[in-house]
Amino acid sequence: MLSLTLGGEFATALALIVDGYGPDRFGQGEAHRCDAVYIDLTRNGSRRYCSSACTARAKTAAYRSRRHA
């Protein structure tokens, strides 16, 4: 019974986020080999990664790629 309650609460919260922010605020992380998804709740809609760890890995890889070029 608890899982049904949590499922309903999750569905309601998700519907409120989509209604308030729009469906464009959902996406898949742009980091290499990352299959996670995110909900962009930033003010300007600039989120591209699922977590700060993926952000750091992507930026480090880009930096190293520029240094070797």
Side-chain angles (χ1 to χ4, degrees), residues 1-68:
M1 185 68 174
L2 179 63
S3 64
L4 291 176
T5 303
L6 290 177
E9 289 180 9
F10 176 76
T12 302
L14 188 60
L16 288 171
I17 291 171
V18 171
D19 184 48
Y21 290 96
D24 296 337
R25 294 296 187 113
F26 294 85
Q28 184 174 359
E30 293 183 12
H32 182 64
R33 293 186 295 171
C34 179
D35 295 330
V37 296
Y38 62 85
I39 301 172
D40 184 2
L41 299 178
T42 61
R43 189 174 295 202
N44 61 358
S46 61
R47 186 168 186 166
R48 299 183 337 179
Y49 302 102
C50 64
S51 67
S52 58
C54 278
T55 303
R57 276 194 298 275
K59 290 186 181 226
T60 301
Y63 172 77
R64 289 178 179 164
S65 176
R66 287 191 308 269
R67 294 273 293 175
H68 287 121

